Amino acid sequence: MALDDSTIIGIISGIITGTVTGVLGIYGVSKSTKATLKIAESNIRAQLNLQKKDYEKKEIAELKEKLITIYENLLAIERSHDITSIYMGSAENKDSNHRKYLKLIEKLDYSRALCDLYFPNELSNCFNEIQQGMNKYWKSLDDYFIGTEEQKPRFMNNAYEITSEIQAKIGDTKDKIQEMISKYTKTDS
């Protein structure tokens, strides 16, 4: 079977057209795939950024909540170490004051744990100093109960002085906590 020239040209033309179409198709699919991958990569990055921001907001909210807890405990400790509480404490008995001391130390210990774990550089030393003051204060109050009538005024005066020190340290610590909450609030927005 002999092929004439027009048939041969038709076959060659078909092969060339098929090859060119195939190559163009592969090129088009390749371009389309690359564009789709870029879009997908962009979407994934955007999702990761949103998740990261959401995580950071949650983390900041948790830190702020811890600072608020620390602050609330600090307020309770502050209330128990003011001049009025000294008068009230001196009117109570030793056992009653000991129970009050244990409750306050529990609040202090919880706050110290939060500070040591989450804010060691900012707040741990403050709470250590507050605890030292509290120990001195309660020791003076304890001495008041076991002291003689002559010794009681000296122990009460010592408690007043220590109260002033505790109040000053608590005031400094409250200022630091407020600054930290303010910093986290700015970071949060």
Side-chain angles (χ1 to χ4, degrees), residues 38-54:
K38 281 186 178 181
I39 291 169
E41 182 182 3
S42 175
N43 287 341
I44 289 170
R45 278 197 185 120
Q47 284 296 319
L48 287 174
N49 284 337
L50 285 174
Q51 286 179 350
K52 181 181 176 186
K53 286 179 182 178
D54 189 42

Side-chain angles (χ1 to χ4, degrees), residues 20-61:
V20 168
T21 303
V23 168
L24 289 176
I26 291 172
Y27 177 76
V29 167
S30 171
K31 281 290 211 183
S32 173
T33 301
K34 286 180 183 178
T36 301
L37 288 175
K38 281 186 178 181
I39 291 169
E41 182 182 3
S42 175
N43 287 341
I44 289 170
R45 278 197 185 120
Q47 284 296 319
L48 287 174
N49 284 337
L50 285 174
Q51 286 179 350
K52 181 181 176 186
K53 286 179 182 178
D54 189 42
Y55 175 79
E56 288 171 350
K57 282 184 178 182
K58 286 179 184 176
E59 181 102 351
I60 288 170

Side-chain angles (χ1 to χ4, degrees), residues 57-72:
K57 282 184 178 182
K58 286 179 184 176
E59 181 102 351
I60 288 170
E62 287 176 14
L63 290 175
K64 284 170 51 175
E65 191 62 38
K66 286 172 180 36
L67 285 169
I68 290 168
T69 299
I70 292 167
Y71 195 87
E72 288 171 345

Side-chain angles (χ1 to χ4, degrees), residues 6-189:
S6 65
T7 305
I8 293 175
I9 291 175
I11 292 173
I12 293 175
S13 172
I15 292 173
I16 292 174
T17 302
T19 302
V20 168
T21 303
V23 168
L24 289 176
I26 291 172
Y27 177 76
V29 167
S30 171
K31 281 290 211 183
S32 173
T33 301
K34 286 180 183 178
T36 301
L37 288 175
K38 281 186 178 181
I39 291 169
E41 182 182 3
S42 175
N43 287 341
I44 289 170
R45 278 197 185 120
Q47 284 296 319
L48 287 174
N49 284 337
L50 285 174
Q51 286 179 350
K52 181 181 176 186
K53 286 179 182 178
D54 189 42
Y55 175 79
E56 288 171 350
K57 282 184 178 182
K58 286 179 184 176
E59 181 102 351
I60 288 170
E62 287 176 14
L63 290 175
K64 284 170 51 175
E65 191 62 38
K66 286 172 180 36
L67 285 169
I68 290 168
T69 299
I70 292 167
Y71 195 87
E72 288 171 345
N73 287 341
L74 197 57
L75 291 174
I77 292 166
E78 182 179 42
R79 275 190 308 275
S80 294
H81 290 87
D82 65 8
I83 300 300
T84 305
S85 73
I86 291 177
Y87 286 119
M88 290 170 29
S90 64
E92 295 176 6
N93 64 33
K94 185 177 177 179
D95 290 337
S96 175
N97 275 310
H98 184 70
R99 284 190 298 276
K100 188 189 307 183
Y101 168 76
L102 291 176
K103 284 182 184 178
L104 290 170
I105 285 298
E106 190 176 302
K107 287 184 178 295
L108 180 77
D109 286 345
Y110 183 70
S111 293
R112 282 185 60 208
L114 290 175
C115 291
D116 289 348
L117 294 172
Y118 296 97
F119 314 103
N121 298 327
E122 297 94 340
L123 295 173
S124 285
N125 286 338
C126 297
F127 275 84
N128 289 336
E129 291 173 12
I130 290 169
Q131 183 179 14
Q132 289 169 3
M134 286 175 64
N135 290 340
K136 290 177 191 175
Y137 168 82
W138 289 96
K139 171 73 170 101
S140 291
L141 210 53
D142 197 40
D143 288 344
Y144 174 84
F145 285 111
I146 60 174
T148 65
E149 290 304 315
E150 288 179 0
Q151 293 172 323
K152 285 187 178 194
R154 180 170 42 102
F155 293 137
M156 191 56 68
N157 286 338
N158 191 30
Y160 288 140
E161 290 174 20
I162 294 167
T163 295
S164 296
E165 293 171 16
I166 293 171
Q167 291 289 326
K169 194 60 192 165
I170 287 174
D172 292 344
T173 306
K174 285 170 39 181
D175 290 345
K176 281 185 181 183
I177 292 171
Q178 289 169 348
E179 288 173 18
M180 292 170 70
I181 288 175
S182 178
K183 178 182 83 172
Y184 287 127
T185 302
K186 289 177 187 171
T187 306
D188 191 23
S189 37

